[in-house]
Amino acid sequence: MSESSSGRIAGAVGLVSLAGAVLGVWIVALDSVPWRALSPATAAPTGLVLLLLVAAGWVLRSDLDGTTALHVPVASLAGMVTFGGFARVVILDTLVSATGVRPTLIVLNFVGAGGAAGLVAGLFTAKQSATIQSLRNARNEYRDLFDGIGETVFVHDTRGRILAINEGAVDRLGYGPPSLRGRSIDDVVGNGEARGRYVTDDDRIVYETVQLTADGEVIPVEVSASVVRYHGAPAVLSVARDISERRASENELERARDQLRALNRVLRHDIRNDMQIVTGLADLLDEHVDEPGREYLDTITATGEHVVELTRSSRELARTVAGETELPLEPVSLAETLQGELDRRRKAFDHATLALDGEIPDVRVQANDLLASVFRNLLNNAVQHNDREEPTVTVSADLLRGDHRVRVRVADDGPGIPAELEGDVFGKGEKGLESAGTGLGLYLVDSLVDHYGGEVWIEENEPRGTVVVVELPLAET
């Protein structure tokens, strides 16, 4: 049992005991049950007993602390003693002569009046004390919350004069509270122009700026400011969150984007152009090599074409990751895109069979001009990683009307995906592009399909091979 609960119980018991004592003395004084002889001469003791019992119930159910609850019976007892003593010492003889009422009843009436006055005063004082304590607790909780916020919090008036700060501001900026209060908010906020300023739905102003520490260090922060009332006057509450890590990440990301853009230019202007020269010269040598050398020439041609395809995939991946283009989504014809890539791959791989099982649904999907790269990489991968002399790749597409999506399946009859590579086949492992997947093309496929709001996964083909399933959302009509 808590100390407050014990105090309230003790206070209630004290009030009931006082009521019992007054009632006992009253019974002895009247030589009968009091309520059988009610008269104006007995009104005060009657009211006091009732008030004491009612007050006992209120104290027991209140939220007073232990000490405050004990003040109520003490105040009532003090009133009873004070008024009873006054009656006995000062005016008892006069009242007895004037009224003829027994001295005990006169003293009891004064005791009743004094007890009632003391009880009312005690209850008022207790309630006021409880209110003050509640306000003090609320203030302490507010202060703990104010100081406990891990961010820098300032309250300043409309002229920018700092009125209050939290411990987070003291710890982060290195200023003592006395040295900050009264100074201008501009003394701790950098002079740089605010970035990314906007107004929230609840009228808070959010922007990015910098704060200056006592040692001259510059800390990038995101500030959320709102108008409040402080000591009855309008003020501004500013909460500043340290965004140093976010800024560092943004800078690192921008550096990576610059590197990818540079890689994109190299792939587009250097490697790809050089390899096209190699394959072009290989075509010119076709009529000048004998049969034994043709095998080597074919290898050179196939390898050159594979490198060109890799540079194309790398270039498109760089566009996606580096943000060289915004890659907006738009309706794209699935039939035209998929059929076009099938026709081009058939020309590129004349030793392979690329078959279409059924018709391609005449629908538009949510994608962009890089959708062709998805199908090109899947078809290339199905042929280039096939161990048969004459690979067979079967493409099918089905409309999932209930889900407003379309599912494309690219099935090959190759060796299949080793079990240890199934989880990383799209480069989703912890090492990203360094994972043991089947190539850059599938990483590009996964990135683009995810950007389109679709899904891609691997299934086993029967009796042999792999099926890559791409599911894309239909474009809104």
Side-chain angles (χ1 to χ4, degrees):
M1 183 181 295
S2 66
E3 183 178 347
S4 295
S5 299
S6 300
R8 289 194 295 271
I9 293 174
V13 170
L15 291 169
V16 172
S17 300
L18 288 177
V22 171
L23 186 60
V25 173
W26 192 11
I27 291 173
V28 172
L30 294 177
D31 295 327
S32 64
V33 180
W35 52 81
R36 292 180 180 175
L38 291 178
S39 67
T42 61
T46 304
L48 177 60
V49 171
L50 294 176
L51 284 175
L52 288 171
L53 294 177
V54 172
W58 181 85
V59 167
L60 195 60
R61 299 178 60 183
S62 70
D63 57 354
L64 300 177
D65 62 51
T67 303
T68 303
L70 290 174
H71 287 167
V72 179
V74 171
S76 183
L77 178 62
M80 293 165 62
V81 171
T82 300
F83 275 58
F86 174 79
R88 182 175 180 82
V89 174
V90 179
I91 60 175
L92 179 61
D93 294 337
T94 303
L95 288 176
V96 170
S97 301
T99 62
V101 179
R102 282 180 292 176
T104 304
L105 289 179
I106 293 175
V107 173
L108 271 175
N109 273 274
F110 272 87
V111 167
L119 179 62
V120 171
L123 290 172
F124 176 79
T125 303
K127 186 61 178 177
Q128 187 179 45
S129 176
T131 301
I132 293 173
Q133 185 61 41
S134 178
L135 292 174
R136 186 179 292 115
N137 291 340
R139 183 195 64 187
N140 292 337
E141 289 176 0
Y142 164 77
R143 189 69 208 184
D144 291 342
L145 179 63
F146 186 68
D147 288 333
I149 296 176
E151 316 299 349
T152 302
V153 182
F154 287 92
V155 178
H156 60 83
D157 61 21
T158 53
R159 295 176 297 171
R161 185 171 58 92
I162 297 174
L163 304 175
I165 59 174
N166 72 334
E167 291 182 359
V170 174
D171 295 340
R172 181 178 298 173
L173 302 179
Y175 296 96
S179 64
L180 275 178
R181 291 193 182 97
R183 292 176 60 174
S184 172
I185 190 69
D186 293 334
D187 292 341
V188 293
V189 176
N191 296 323
E193 183 177 351
R195 298 172 46 186
R197 183 185 179 98
Y198 65 93
V199 180
T200 64
D201 293 338
D202 55 354
D203 294 330
R204 287 181 297 111
I205 300 175
V206 180
Y207 59 93
E208 293 183 12
T209 184
V210 295
Q211 288 183 334
L212 306 176
T213 68
D215 298 331
E217 181 185 357
V218 177
I219 302 176
V221 293
E222 181 183 72
V223 177
S224 175
S226 57
V227 177
V228 298
R229 296 197 69 81
Y230 186 78
H231 291 176
V236 178
L237 172 66
S238 298
V239 180
R241 180 167 60 90
D242 188 345
I243 57 172
S244 299
E245 293 185 3
R246 191 177 82 187
R247 284 283 180 87
S249 298
E250 290 174 351
N251 293 336
E252 181 65 23
L253 179 60
E254 186 59 33
R255 186 182 68 84
R257 285 175 175 170
D258 290 340
Q259 292 176 340
L260 284 170
R261 292 187 186 102
L263 172 63
N264 192 6
R265 289 192 295 270
V266 170
L267 291 172
R268 183 169 61 247
H269 295 117
D270 297 342
I271 298 177
R272 188 164 181 263
N273 291 343
D274 289 348
M275 288 310 303
Q276 285 178 334
I277 293 174
V278 170
T279 56
L281 292 175
D283 290 339
L284 293 177
L285 288 173
D286 186 61
E287 298 178 356
H288 302 283
V289 297
D290 53 18
E291 195 62 33
R294 186 167 301 281
E295 179 182 352
Y296 300 110
L297 181 60
D298 291 343
T299 301
I300 292 173
T301 302
T303 303
E305 291 175 349
H306 180 58
V307 171
V308 171
E309 289 297 335
L310 280 177
T311 59
R312 184 181 289 113
S313 296
S314 299
R315 182 189 63 189
E316 290 163 349
L317 178 61
R319 288 178 61 195
T320 304
V321 177
E324 191 171 288
T325 60
E326 295 183 0
L327 296 179
L329 301 182
E330 59 187 10
V332 177
S333 172
L334 177 68
E336 292 179 7
T337 304
L338 182 53
Q339 187 64 58
E341 282 306 312
L342 271 171
D343 294 341
R344 284 185 283 271
R345 294 309 96 195
R346 283 167 178 157
K347 294 179 180 179
F349 303 116
D350 55 3
H351 67 293
T353 299
L354 284 81
L356 179 61
D357 182 10
E359 296 183 355
I360 304 173
D362 185 17
V363 295
R364 294 181 177 272
V365 295
Q366 179 177 275
N368 51 35
D369 62 336
L370 291 180
L371 179 62
S373 297
V374 172
F375 299 132
R376 181 175 67 247
N377 279 284
L378 292 181
L379 294 172
N380 286 347
N381 199 68
V383 175
Q384 292 169 351
H385 292 277
N386 202 304
D387 57 353
R388 295 181 183 272
E389 292 184 2
E390 297 182 358
T392 299
V393 179
T394 304
V395 178
S396 62
D398 298 300
L399 188 61
L400 308 178
R401 296 185 182 277
D403 296 331
H404 301 286
R405 298 168 80 88
V406 65
R407 183 174 295 171
V408 178
R409 300 167 63 87
V410 178
D412 64 61
D413 58 352
I417 304 295
E420 63 272 14
L421 295 182
E422 288 183 357
D424 294 331
V425 69
F426 293 107
K428 294 180 179 178
E430 294 181 358
K431 296 183 292 183
L433 287 175
E434 298 177 1
S435 66
T438 55
L440 181 62
L442 287 183
Y443 183 81
L444 174 64
V445 168
D446 180 66
S447 299
L448 289 173
V449 171
D450 182 68
H451 181 68
Y452 299 154
E455 295 180 70
V456 58
W457 65 88
I458 299 292
E459 296 178 356
E460 291 185 4
N461 198 11
E462 293 295 339
R464 186 177 189 269
T466 302
V467 181
V468 181
V469 184
V470 176
E471 195 172 283
L472 297 170
L474 299 182
E476 296 183 359
T477 56

